[in-house]
Amino acid sequence: MYHKSAFFLLLYTLKSKLSNAGSPAEKGAARPAHAVSRRAGLTAGVQLSMRKAALLGVLALAVLAWHPEAGPAGERENSPPPAGAEAGTGELIPPPDLSKFQAVAELVRDKCLTCHTRGWDLAFYAAIPGIRQLIERDYREGLRSLDLGQELRDTDTAAPVGEAALAKIEWAMLKGTMPPARFVAVHWDSGITGDQRRAVLDWLRAVRAACYATGTARADRSNEAVQPLPESLPHDAAKAALGKKLFFDTRLSLDDSISCASCHLLEKGGADGHRFSQGVGGLLGNANAPTVFNAAFNVRQFWDGRAADLQEQAAQPPFNPVEMASENWDSIIEKLVRDKPLLDEFLSMYPVFRGGAEEKGGWTGANITDAVAHYEKTLITPDSRFDLWLKGDDNAVNEKEAAGYRRFKDYRCASCHVGKTLGGQSFEYMDLKRDYFADRGGSLPSDEGLKSFTGKSEDLHKFKVSNLRNIELTAPYMHDGTVETLDESVRIMGIYLSGISIPQADRDLIVAFLRTLTGRYQGRPVEGDAVPR
């Protein structure tokens, strides 16, 4: 492959120089009458360009002559640090475990990892000026679109490939967008055959069926990237009842004025309708409060992913100085234990016992947040009209709404808004295609996104993808709460995430589809004020 690529480099460079030869005026306007015809002969400038091109090609071939065993950079001594090396070290990260890709692991290794994981080996000619810039662009864009390292190193290797990664791979296979044409032009062996595409799609379908399908979608809709919500999640009903009381209890705050429900109102779609929520003393946060409905399905909690699960999430607001502002669990428990009925109920769920010399159970922060987490697992809103359609009721959505779902997929919204909640399964760059933050102006502490949790520079401006369930009830939108309408949300997502200006007619269709995602809670429609049409 490398020998072919170096030879092609010579041909490609010659072709590029010939097609681009001549003065700027010759490129931009009709050629003057006295211009020398290519058939009659080449100008001195073109001949010079050809000599430079030939020299570059000879240099490329000389590299092969000097390195007759030329191959991946990691296989040669004294080679320059490849672009995929660990930052600042020039050392390659050990090869990842690809077992979760099962039957297509070899294909993923050979065709995908170069541009879709950090620290992967690059070809020796990646150091050649000009070629290096092209490769670095592909590498940067590939990583920002899909970083398989998150699947291979940052998650449990026993866990299946994530739903968002599956959706992105599926798009690439169905549309034939990967590898890019310019990459295949130089790397002749990097193309993907029809048989290979079918193998990937078969594997993908099997993973969805085994790991993500709810088993309630109609057969011909069961392989959609989105799935119907289940009616419930496993939970302890008694602990959930206790957790509900704690969720609404203002004594978790410093001055007994704020509860979890103050920012997550069930009658407002599980959010509060404000750009930023108000905490103790009227202080405001700097990130929009997401809905608590269906949060149990999120891969992590908060926009920046700083909590692994519902229990970790419930432990943070009580001590956030602009939210509940309590000092510690002891100060909260001191108030709660004075409530005799609550005390008795709590100890019946979490009795005190001694394990050796250590006292366990009873009133602890871990037990309080465990109860709240059990309650939040009950905040599920199934049976939206779209759920009914997925399950086989063709009359549950009208033609405009069904067309909106097709547009939702056409514009790649379903590459990130996946799973049972149409979101919450991955972290994506808010400035993937264009600088959202520069266009918006100003800055917020929350703008760092995932980086504020991980400390990694590559996580700057990555945010957990919004859950779209009941989305018409949860305005304003985005992490910064700056967007008031669904139409504007779709417009912004098109520009900054898909790199497309979505026409108004298509935005209307997508918004109509989004309004079919409002579900039911405890048998009744989710309450809230629908954003104006």
Side-chain angles (χ1 to χ4, degrees):
M1 172 175 171
Y2 300 101
H3 294 69
K4 290 179 182 177
S5 299
F7 177 68
F8 179 80
L9 178 60
L10 171 60
L11 300 180
Y12 179 78
T13 308
L14 284 168
K15 178 180 180 297
S16 298
K17 291 296 182 181
L18 280 171
S19 62
N20 292 320
S23 69
E26 288 175 311
K27 296 176 188 176
R31 299 180 69 199
H34 65 271
V36 178
S37 166
R38 282 198 177 97
R39 293 181 181 179
L42 298 173
T43 66
V46 174
Q47 293 177 39
L48 179 61
S49 295
M50 289 185 65
R51 284 196 294 270
K52 291 179 179 178
L55 178 60
L56 181 60
V58 170
L59 288 173
L61 293 173
V63 172
L64 279 177
W66 187 259
H67 297 284
E69 301 301 323
E75 296 175 3
R76 300 190 316 277
E77 294 181 1
N78 303 319
S79 58
E86 186 72 70
T89 68
E91 296 179 1
L92 295 173
I93 299 172
D97 178 358
L98 290 164
S99 58
K100 66 169 61 181
F101 284 92
Q102 302 166 335
V104 298
E106 183 176 348
L107 177 65
V108 170
R109 183 196 64 204
D110 293 344
K111 309 291 187 179
C112 307
L113 291 190
T114 297
C115 293
H116 291 286
T117 191
R118 299 177 193 280
W120 194 247
D121 212 351
L122 298 181
F124 71 96
Y125 50 82
I128 298 175
I131 299 299
R132 183 187 66 197
Q133 284 80 358
L134 289 173
I135 289 177
E136 286 179 348
R137 182 181 65 180
D138 285 341
Y139 181 70
R140 180 176 61 254
E141 292 180 357
L143 276 174
R144 285 172 62 83
S145 298
L146 172 61
D147 185 353
L148 288 174
Q150 295 176 343
E151 297 292 334
L152 300 172
R153 294 189 177 94
D154 299 345
T155 59
D156 182 357
T157 55
V161 176
E163 290 179 274
L166 290 177
K168 293 174 184 180
I169 294 170
E170 180 178 46
W171 172 275
M173 294 299 103
L174 291 174
K175 304 298 182 181
T177 58
M178 289 290 127
R182 65 175 180 268
F183 188 86
V184 176
V186 178
H187 303 81
W188 291 358
D189 295 343
S190 66
I192 299 177
T193 68
D195 286 344
Q196 288 172 327
R197 292 185 192 281
R198 284 187 287 275
V200 171
L201 291 171
D202 287 345
W203 162 79
L204 190 149
R205 188 178 298 108
V207 173
R208 276 205 186 122
C211 305
Y212 298 115
T214 58
T216 56
R218 196 170 74 186
D220 61 332
R221 293 170 184 162
S222 62
N223 191 44
E224 294 290 318
V226 297
Q227 291 287 313
L229 276 172
E231 295 295 322
S232 63
L233 285 175
H235 64 278
D236 185 303
K239 289 182 177 179
L242 173 62
K244 180 178 180 180
K245 294 177 182 177
L246 294 167
F247 186 86
F248 286 89
D249 200 322
T250 59
R251 289 173 293 187
L252 271 64
S253 66
L254 177 66
D255 63 358
D256 299 347
S257 64
I258 302 291
S259 72
C260 303
S262 298
C263 303
H264 301 285
L265 288 76
L266 302 192
E267 64 271 22
K268 288 185 176 290
D272 65 0
H274 299 298
R275 181 186 180 192
F276 300 136
S277 300
Q278 181 173 295
V280 166
L283 296 176
L284 297 176
N286 57 61
N288 182 250
T291 179
V292 71
F293 279 124
N294 307 303
F297 296 101
N298 290 337
V299 65
R300 294 187 69 89
Q301 305 299 325
F302 293 111
W303 287 102
D304 59 10
R306 64 184 183 271
D309 52 32
L310 293 175
Q311 186 173 6
E312 277 194 19
Q313 186 279 327
Q316 296 193 29
F319 311 113
N320 188 316
V322 300
E323 295 185 51
M324 296 182 178
S326 289
E327 295 180 4
N328 50 50
W329 283 117
D330 288 341
S331 63
I332 293 173
I333 292 170
E334 184 180 353
K335 292 184 286 184
L336 295 178
V337 295
R338 298 172 190 161
D339 184 333
K340 184 63 164 63
L342 181 64
L343 174 64
D344 292 342
E345 183 178 3
F346 195 96
L347 292 178
S348 70
M349 294 295 100
Y350 302 97
V352 177
F353 67 94
R354 287 192 171 277
E358 183 182 2
E359 185 174 274
K360 298 181 181 180
W363 284 100
T364 66
N367 289 338
I368 290 171
T369 54
D370 180 64
V372 172
H374 275 280
Y375 169 61
E376 291 185 355
K377 290 176 184 177
T378 71
L379 301 179
I380 311 300
T381 63
D383 298 329
S384 68
R385 290 193 293 120
F386 181 64
D387 282 328
L388 300 181
W389 179 85
L390 284 172
K391 293 176 181 179
D393 183 353
D394 291 331
N395 297 318
V397 301
N398 61 37
E399 174 135 357
K400 180 179 180 180
E401 294 160 345
Y405 178 50
R406 292 193 293 273
R407 295 294 189 280
F408 182 82
K409 293 190 287 185
D410 291 341
Y411 287 109
R412 300 197 63 179
C413 308
S415 293
C416 300
H417 290 285
V418 297
K420 302 171 184 66
T421 57
L422 289 83
Q425 305 309 306
S426 65
F427 292 80
E428 307 292 342
Y429 289 101
M430 188 63 200
D431 55 358
L432 182 64
K433 298 296 184 180
R434 179 169 156 177
D435 194 338
Y436 169 82
F437 302 93
D439 290 350
R440 184 200 66 191
S443 63
L444 294 167
S446 59
D447 286 346
E448 282 204 338
L450 184 62
K451 179 179 182 289
S452 67
F453 168 59
T454 66
K456 297 179 180 179
S457 60
E458 63 261 31
D459 290 333
L460 180 65
H461 297 160
K462 291 182 80 170
F463 297 88
K464 190 181 71 199
V465 176
S466 298
N467 159 10
L468 295 184
R469 293 287 181 172
N470 312 302
I471 192 67
E472 67 173 339
L473 308 178
T474 59
Y477 306 112
M478 312 296 168
H479 79 281
D480 54 17
T482 56
V483 180
E484 297 286 345
T485 68
L486 287 173
D487 177 76
E488 180 66 0
S489 295
V490 174
R491 187 191 74 83
I492 286 175
M493 289 290 100
I495 291 171
Y496 296 98
L497 274 295
S498 295
I500 300 170
S501 180
I502 302 178
Q504 183 66 60
D506 285 350
R507 297 206 305 268
D508 290 344
L509 293 175
I510 293 173
V511 169
F513 158 66
L514 293 176
R515 292 183 184 277
T516 70
L517 300 176
T518 303
R520 302 174 72 82
Y521 174 59
Q522 295 183 336
R524 301 179 60 184
V526 176
E527 297 180 47
D529 299 321
V531 66
R533 294 182 180 274

